[in-house]
Amino acid sequence: MDRTIPYYQEQIAPKAIKDGQRILISSSENAIRGLLMTLCDIPEDKISELEIPNGVPIIYDLKSRCIKLLDDGSGEDPLKKYNFD
């Protein structure tokens, strides 16, 4: 998180907002968990309960501060299946 969060805040987010771009971040589970912890204000003692799905894109909307998970094809609600509710 010492490198991920500052890089996101200083490099990725400003450019995405300024240029109206969509940015793809592919990383390890721990880096994604740290990023979500910061973006969504998830307490450190609760972040370990968040299941980061493998191969299921997590969409974060900067303007609404909202997370969406794309359907993984299982027929289940991905927000409930992966404990995002």
Side-chain angles (χ1 to χ4, degrees):
M1 283 184 26
D2 292 341
R3 293 181 307 206
T4 304
I5 302 308
Y7 186 79
Y8 173 81
Q9 292 171 333
E10 296 165 11
Q11 299 293 320
I12 297 172
K15 290 179 183 176
I17 293 169
K18 178 184 168 217
D19 298 338
Q21 295 178 346
R22 293 181 179 176
I23 307 296
L24 173 67
I25 299 172
S26 178
S27 189
S28 70
E29 183 177 329
N30 285 335
I32 297 295
R33 186 174 273 120
L35 192 55
L36 289 176
M37 185 173 80
T38 301
L39 294 174
C40 301
D41 298 321
I42 300 171
E44 192 171 344
D45 63 329
K46 297 289 184 186
I47 194 66
S48 63
E49 298 172 15
L50 183 65
E51 184 177 340
I52 306 297
N54 286 324
V56 177
I58 300 170
I59 300 169
Y60 181 77
D61 186 314
L62 283 171
K63 292 179 184 173
S64 66
R65 295 182 48 105
C66 172
I67 289 180
K68 300 173 190 171
L69 292 178
L70 294 185
D71 187 349
D72 65 0
S74 70
E76 298 178 55
D77 179 351
L79 292 175
K80 290 185 178 166
K81 180 177 179 179
Y82 296 108
N83 300 320
F84 273 78
D85 56 345

